Amino acid sequence: MASRAWSPVIRFLLVVLGMTTANWNAVPVKADSGGTCQIAYGLTPTSIPDWLMHAEENTDLTTANRYDILAAKLLSSGLIDSSSCPAQGLNPDGSANGCGIELTTDQVKVWQNRFDPTILTYSRSNDLPPKVVKAVIAVESQFWPAANWIQGEIGLGQMTGYGADLVLMWRPDYYQSICRQAFGGKSCSTQYQFLDSATQLLLRGLVLKEIDATCSSCVGGVNIEKGNQAVLVLTETLNASCMQSTRVIYLATGKSPAALLSFEDYWRLVLANYHAGAGCVYQALQKTGNPNSRNVPERSEWDWNSIAANFSSRCASGAEYIRRIEGQIKP
């Protein structure tokens, strides 16, 4: 999820931004209704592009894409009998060989849609565009919900410790639910960002454990219910990214998102924030405007392309991430 290149900057900005979470609504908003992200944008959009629309049925999310990493996971987990393929359908590096890819074609199509009902349910309850939620999962994990603890990337959304920080700081109801797990049903009286580091570490660990679908006793080694839980946490984290992105925009420019960006470009920035972190987004915004004053360009001069061009080399994955997300939604 979050880039490690800017780890110190990300941690610092999480603390600075977190100090303002109680007052995030101080940013002027004019949205009449809608979910967290629309309110955070600051204006009710007059038109919404297809990729940000709500889906009506599970079939509206159905995809039939090729996912080679997912193919390899289906083979290595034993969910598909690969005895007919050389080397059980796998290359020495663990990737699927040609026979393995062909053998898994049908099941890859089935598996990539198995979380669609959950994506639709939690997208509706969190007022998020389900195509975006599914695209994030596709890019992050190719729908395989098990954890990679070595890299510190957990669940369908490949959440990191920084992602756990993000959702715990900006989603107070979810934060309190984790507190109750940690402290025998008791809520936390202190905001997450003001807790001592040991308690923060405990709560981050609980978030990541909650979405780790690795299960040695389960079929294929994955717990599908934990996968469904990871979808819920992902939607909470995307809402948190909307809230944080609005604050980052305000700190960098002195303006609300709606004063600078279209709703579509705002969502691109939110997703870049989810992936690369607040440090990368803040720096790009400052470079796009005037880093020495609040005399930033007018809205007509701001768009996602101008911001993306100002991501530093260490943050370049933020811009590339949006291209990959859009490739899933608009192939």
Side-chain angles (χ1 to χ4, degrees), residues 67 134-143 321 324-325 328:
Y67 293 115
K134 184 167 183 176
V136 168
I137 294 172
V139 170
E140 293 287 354
S141 66
Q142 291 195 9
F143 305 97
Y321 188 72
R324 294 174 65 195
I325 291 289
Q328 294 294 320

Side-chain angles (χ1 to χ4, degrees), residues 52-132:
L52 294 177
M53 294 287 287
H54 294 283
E56 297 298 327
E57 304 290 342
N58 296 337
T59 53
D60 293 337
L61 297 179
T62 301
T63 54
N65 298 327
R66 172 176 166 171
Y67 293 115
D68 290 358
I69 294 175
L70 176 57
K73 295 295 186 182
L74 292 172
L75 292 167
S76 62
S77 66
L79 286 171
I80 293 178
D81 179 7
S82 57
S83 58
S84 61
C85 285
Q88 303 297 307
L90 296 169
N91 293 314
D93 63 359
S95 62
N97 60 30
C99 179
I101 289 172
E102 183 177 358
L103 184 66
T104 58
T105 297
D106 290 341
Q107 282 304 307
V108 164
K109 292 177 182 177
V110 171
W111 190 278
Q112 67 187 268
N113 295 303
R114 73 177 306 158
F115 295 104
D116 286 1
T118 306
I119 291 170
L120 189 58
T121 296
Y122 289 133
S123 295
R124 282 174 173 168
S125 63
N126 282 281
D127 208 3
L128 291 169
K131 290 181 181 179
V132 170

Side-chain angles (χ1 to χ4, degrees), residues 1-8 10 153 160 162 272-277 280 314-318:
M1 174 194 158
S3 168
R4 298 184 179 210
W6 278 84
S7 297
I10 292 171
E153 297 173 338
T160 64
Y162 297 114
N273 184 75
Y274 171 82
H275 173 74
C280 290
R314 287 188 290 180
C315 295
S317 65

Side-chain angles (χ1 to χ4, degrees), residues 135-190:
V136 168
I137 294 172
V139 170
E140 293 287 354
S141 66
Q142 291 195 9
F143 305 97
W144 189 254
N148 184 338
W149 284 102
I150 295 176
Q151 294 185 7
E153 297 173 338
I154 316 300
L156 288 171
Q158 294 291 274
M159 177 174 275
T160 64
Y162 297 114
D165 282 334
L166 176 63
V167 72
L168 289 168
M169 282 185 185
W170 290 92
R171 300 298 285 171
D173 289 345
Y174 179 74
Y175 165 57
Q176 291 298 344
S177 74
I178 296 297
C179 285
R180 287 190 289 272
Q181 287 184 42
F183 305 118
K186 296 181 180 179
S187 299
C188 292
S189 58
T190 303

Side-chain angles (χ1 to χ4, degrees), residues 6 28 31 44 50 52 61 71 73 83 87 106 168 178 188 196 210 213 224-225 244 275 282 297 301 304 313-314 322:
W6 278 84
T44 302
D50 179 71
L52 294 177
L61 297 179
K73 295 295 186 182
S83 58
D106 290 341
L168 289 168
I178 296 297
C188 292
D196 61 84
E210 184 176 49
I224 297 301
E225 287 306 311
Q244 186 185 65
H275 173 74
Y282 180 81
E301 301 176 46
W304 167 248
S313 58
R314 287 188 290 180
I322 304 308

Side-chain angles (χ1 to χ4, degrees), residues 198-212:
T199 304
Q200 288 182 347
L201 179 62
L202 169 66
L203 297 182
R204 280 198 301 272
L206 285 175
V207 172
L208 298 178
K209 184 178 179 181
E210 184 176 49
I211 61 175
D212 179 7

